[in-house]
Amino acid sequence: MKNEALEEEYIFKKLNEFKSKDLNYSSGRILGSMCSEPHPLSKKVFMDFLDSNMGDPGLFKGTKAIEDEVIKIMASFLSLDKPHGNIVTGGSEANIMAMRSARNLYMERNNLKNQWNEPFEVILPKSAHFSFKKASDILGIKLIEINLNDEYKMDIKSVKEKINKNTIAIVGVAGTTELGMIDPIEELSQIAIDKNIYLHVDAAFGGFSIPFLKDIGYDIPNFDFSNEGISSITIDPHKMGLTIIPTGCIIYREKKYLDLISVDSPYLTVKKQATIVGTRSGASSAATWAMLKYMGKEGYSQLANSCMINTNFLADALLKEGFSLITKPQLNILGFNHPKIDMNDLVKAIEEKSWRVSTSSYPKAIRIVVMPHIKNTHLREFMRDLREIKNDFNI
Ligand code: 0PR
């Protein structure tokens, strides 16, 4: 491709042409995404810190202090006073880091030197996010998938049965990708303590809503560091935190877990580096810091509450119209079907009315993530369209 220099005006014109093909959150039409419109403040702050590189934090001591403070504030939501961790690109990177820590801890404990010859196993629910498949491939660990109980949560009896001498970690999910369910973390924590196994909790989605919902009286099970068996938690500001992409976060109970995955970085201002990414956005930390300060706990409680109110509104409206829910939503994610319409036909009809939904793989259902950009008016329009679709199917 010939790539000659162009005028700025033309460049913007072309970019706008590309952008006009994107969907936007504010239309309310994106019903199956875990991301949302970032708050204008987080966009503004992000722009101010574009040049800061957390891969060489000695050059950006101010931004590094922001990253540390962000970790500390988020850990306080998760009942941990002295956290260790990093702001990373997202939940996938955070989960891969946690699995790397668990593997290296197991190797240290068992005095193993070669990571490529060992039958490492990680026990995780069938509902775990596909980032663990990447971790498995990269780190050479076998995934032992646990079936879900009739509430779509990890079956504890099977967890106990699958533990063996090769188990390097157990993973529980607080807010599953497909249905938003919360695994029995307290029980997993007890198992992790009894068997001395690393426990990681993937709260990429739920981490930014469960603590705030609990604060205002929602009856949601405990999933945080107050469970002594938990070693690390993934929590993503770029999902329910209203901040910009890319922003994920890994929080560890002990510094040791970061040390175990640190490599020498001799010519940098800091001599060790643990993150997978080298050159790393400081702007993500700054934008998140701004949002944490701007929203406060109250702001995030209100946000999570309004998403739950909309989720429950949608759940009731669907039931009234004869749709079936996979299960009562625990967070702001909902799976539904119609007993008389094939799921794929229903998705097609919904998309023809310019909504974008996603589908869950287990169990098969249409999946709606009721993010902050989805307002009650959008849901009413959606229900109107579903009624029309039912008519078209003669139901
Ligand atoms: N853990 C859980 C529980 C997740 O749901 C996700 C992503 C991850 C980890 C990985 O996070 P990153 O994607 O930040 O690495 N869940 C969403 C999903 O796969 C991500 C997503 C977001 C997908 C917006 C589509 C979309 O439009 O559904």
Side-chain angles (χ1 to χ4, degrees), residues 2 30 43 81 94 97 101 106 123 132 145 182 196 224 270 274 282 297 310 314 320 354 362 375 392 395:
K2 214 161 93 209
I30 303 179
K43 291 190 194 177
D81 283 343
M97 281 176 75
S101 297
Y106 179 95
I123 295 175
F132 291 99
E145 280 192 355
I182 303 164
N196 196 23
D224 70 14
V270 168
K297 258 190 159 182
N310 283 337
L314 179 62
K320 263 188 220 133
S354 354
Y362 182 80
K375 310 293 176 209
D392 296 344
I395 293 165

Side-chain angles (χ1 to χ4, degrees), residues 128-183:
H129 185 255
F130 57 76
S131 47
F132 291 99
K133 295 201 170 119
K134 297 180 184 174
S136 155
D137 191 34
I138 295 167
L139 299 168
I141 51 183
K142 188 168 163 199
L143 301 182
I144 308 296
E145 280 192 355
I146 301 294
N147 281 330
L148 306 183
N149 61 22
D150 44 13
E151 289 182 309
Y152 301 99
K153 298 172 188 168
M154 197 175 190
D155 178 51
I156 287 293
K157 193 164 157 275
S158 317
V159 173
K160 289 183 182 155
E161 283 165 8
K162 294 288 181 191
I163 292 174
N164 65 41
K165 64 176 182 9
N166 300 323
T167 309
I168 63 162
I170 302 171
V171 174
V173 186
T176 57
T177 307
E178 298 200 320
L179 281 176
M181 302 315 279
I182 303 164
D183 283 326

Side-chain angles (χ1 to χ4, degrees), residues 32-35 89-93 95 129-131 173 175-177 202 204-205 236 238-239 367:
S33 166
M34 270 193 184
C35 293
T89 51
S92 301
E93 191 185 349
N95 286 340
H129 185 255
F130 57 76
S131 47
V173 186
T176 57
T177 307
D202 181 0
F205 184 70
D236 274 5
H238 73 191
K239 295 189 166 68
R367 164 185 177 261

